[in-house]
Amino acid sequence: MAGNRSVVLRGVKNMQVEDLDFPKLQMPNGKKAPHGVVLKIVASNICGSDLHIYRGSFPAPEGMVMGHEMTGEVVEIGSDVEFLKEGDLVSVPFNVACGRCRNCRNGRTEVCQTCNPDADSAAYGFNLGGWDGGQAEYLFVPYADFQLLKFPDRDQAMEKIRDLALLSDILPTAFHGLMEAGAKPGSTVYLAGAGPVGRCGAAAARLLGASCIIVGDHDKDRLALMKRNGCETIDLNEDVPLQDQIEKILGEPMVDCAVDYVGTEAHGIGKDADKEDPAYAINQVIDVTRAGGATGIIGIYGPDPLAESKDEQNGIYPIEFGNAWIKSPKITAGQAPIMHYNYELMQAILWDRMPYLSDMLQTKVISLDDAPQAYADFDNGSQEKYIIDPHGMIAS
């Protein structure tokens, strides 16, 4: 049987490509999994969330295979799999979900109760249940009939694979933030962060028919990219209160809905732009959401061993809730249930309803051997969204 070359975590800012064993149809605890399949990976992206692990702010065990944004071809099928066949091209939701527990049956696949013995949440390549990631040549996927999104036409899918590769995480995650924030036709929207998931948020906001899409970031190149794609932009290096900058654009200081796509690596505004504070972005989006509006908190929050304060190391953040309470806010946080959105977003891509997605994301296809350097470049501020192509299947 073939091996499985994989991107492996070997310490802080230390990714290595290693040759591991070919995946078996079995769960992390060794139990056989006739409900699973093995995929030949076609595309596996490097996500901003992977940088949390790379930098050491999200603890993960040494030797873990990285990656949670996968698209692949079915090459081996368990005996209980009924609706997939060898050669099918599929998208893998990053949430590992059984489809059988109470939460999964209610569509809450991001909080599956059975796939992680330590918490009601499981994910590939994320130290959440012991699941190997998919920055590799091959990947085992359990509960395949339930989890996997099959593309209806393989040739059509390969023509649009750079965009369809986003369905495993960042596009549905960005869309989820907007849905939880109540975005709809005519909404005014503020998006904190113009990284890859924030850019997916801008594309999703356009798909939803938002009227004015405002994006805030400290990186001038990212802001220029957003401006080129029809967004209003706010340079958070300017020493002007965020509400004032929004009022300059809209004529009023608040928006209908706002989404935090940054998380714990947020920085301040103006004179505080060089200061990292995990609570900055969440407080900013709460502050600029109008009374009766809603906010989606999509950026990652959790215990961070690299944080400056003891509270923040333990996942306790100074949220300015007292100032927001009078506005009757709706605030939703957490991972996205990818399966709740990925089919419809797939159709939007296949029917060319998101033709601007590739330009917004600046996708770059790389080999498996290039992955360690891509991590370093991404960590140093590269604007590109890296897609690992382990088998050379994506056309240049």
Side-chain angles (χ1 to χ4, degrees):
M1 185 63 72
N4 187 25
R5 298 181 70 243
S6 309
V7 179
V8 177
L9 176 70
R10 287 299 176 193
V12 175
K13 296 192 176 183
N14 183 5
M15 297 297 181
Q16 300 292 327
V17 178
E18 301 180 8
D19 196 2
L20 306 180
D21 292 337
F22 190 85
K24 298 179 181 178
L25 295 177
Q26 67 179 37
M27 308 292 273
N29 62 9
K31 183 179 179 180
K32 291 183 179 180
H35 47 71
V37 301
V38 174
L39 300 181
K40 178 181 180 180
I41 295 297
V42 174
S44 184
N45 315 333
I46 299 178
C47 178
S49 299
D50 292 326
L51 288 185
H52 291 278
I53 300 172
Y54 180 74
R55 295 165 178 163
S57 61
F58 189 97
E62 182 177 339
M64 185 182 78
V65 179
M66 294 293 296
H68 58 273
E69 298 188 0
M70 293 82 66
T71 308
E73 175 189 347
V74 177
V75 295
E76 184 177 343
I77 300 177
S79 59
D80 285 351
V81 176
E82 297 185 22
F83 303 112
L84 295 166
K85 64 181 186 302
E86 290 185 16
D88 284 346
L89 198 63
V90 296
S91 177
V92 186
F94 82 88
N95 325 110
V96 187
C98 69
R100 304 171 180 182
C101 69
R102 177 182 178 182
N103 284 344
C104 283
R105 290 199 304 270
N106 286 327
R108 299 297 305 275
T109 54
E110 85 280 19
V111 283
C112 174
Q113 297 169 290
T114 67
C115 288
N116 181 355
D118 300 318
D120 290 348
S121 177
Y124 301 95
F126 225 103
N127 195 25
L128 291 171
W131 299 94
D132 283 342
Q135 290 173 8
E137 293 178 318
Y138 298 93
L139 174 73
F140 161 65
V141 176
Y143 308 109
D145 279 335
F146 174 69
Q147 285 205 95
L148 294 176
L149 174 67
K150 177 184 172 181
F151 298 134
D153 183 276
R154 180 188 175 90
D155 291 339
Q156 181 192 29
M158 288 303 297
E159 289 177 3
K160 299 177 180 291
I161 194 65
R162 289 174 180 251
D163 290 352
L164 293 171
L166 307 174
L167 290 172
S168 53
D169 180 7
I170 63 169
L171 182 56
T173 290
F175 194 84
H176 174 66
L178 289 160
M179 295 300 288
E180 293 299 321
K184 59 185 179 181
S187 294
T188 56
V189 177
Y190 175 72
L191 310 180
V197 69
R199 284 176 251 162
C200 279
R206 184 181 293 182
L207 181 68
L208 288 168
S211 57
C212 182
I213 304 167
I214 306 171
V215 182
D217 202 287
H218 297 87
D219 190 291
K220 296 184 185 300
D221 290 336
R222 288 179 172 181
L223 292 175
L225 178 61
M226 292 292 87
K227 192 76 172 179
R228 187 172 78 233
N229 280 279
C231 299
E232 300 296 323
T233 58
I234 291 177
D235 185 346
L236 298 179
N237 296 297
E238 295 183 9
D239 199 16
V240 180
L242 186 56
Q243 284 196 15
D244 291 353
Q245 297 196 59
I246 287 177
E247 185 171 21
K248 185 176 179 181
I249 295 170
L250 286 178
E252 55 185 359
M254 297 187 190
V255 294
D256 297 323
C257 44
V259 185
D260 166 15
Y261 290 123
V262 182
T264 56
E265 295 179 339
H267 288 70
I269 296 175
K271 65 181 185 301
D272 295 323
D274 292 332
K275 181 181 177 183
E276 186 172 308
D277 187 318
Y280 270 133
I282 189 171
N283 283 322
Q284 289 165 10
V285 294
I286 291 173
D287 181 53
V288 301
T289 303
R290 66 173 177 82
T295 302
I297 310 298
I298 296 304
I300 291 179
Y301 289 89
D304 183 353
L306 302 184
E308 293 184 3
S309 75
K310 191 69 174 179
D311 277 350
E312 290 163 356
Q313 290 172 13
N314 292 322
I316 301 170
Y317 303 103
I319 305 303
E320 298 171 6
F321 188 72
N323 294 329
W325 181 87
I326 195 66
K327 296 195 290 185
S328 295
K330 175 188 174 186
I331 302 170
T332 303
Q335 298 180 41
I338 300 303
M339 293 176 63
H340 193 65
Y341 308 105
N342 61 358
Y343 177 83
E344 287 79 7
L345 290 169
M346 174 190 73
Q347 294 287 50
I349 291 170
L350 293 177
W351 290 97
D352 296 321
R353 293 299 180 261
M354 306 183 80
Y356 33 78
L357 196 56
S358 292
D359 186 53
M360 280 193 177
L361 266 292
Q362 301 286 285
T363 55
K364 181 178 181 179
V365 178
I366 61 172
S367 71
L368 200 61
D369 289 322
D370 291 333
Q373 184 60 51
Y375 267 96
D377 293 343
F378 194 11
D379 184 46
N380 289 326
S382 171
Q383 309 307 315
E384 293 168 313
K385 173 68 173 177
Y386 294 101
I387 299 178
I388 300 170
D389 176 10
H391 299 279
M393 298 177 69
I394 301 176
S396 60

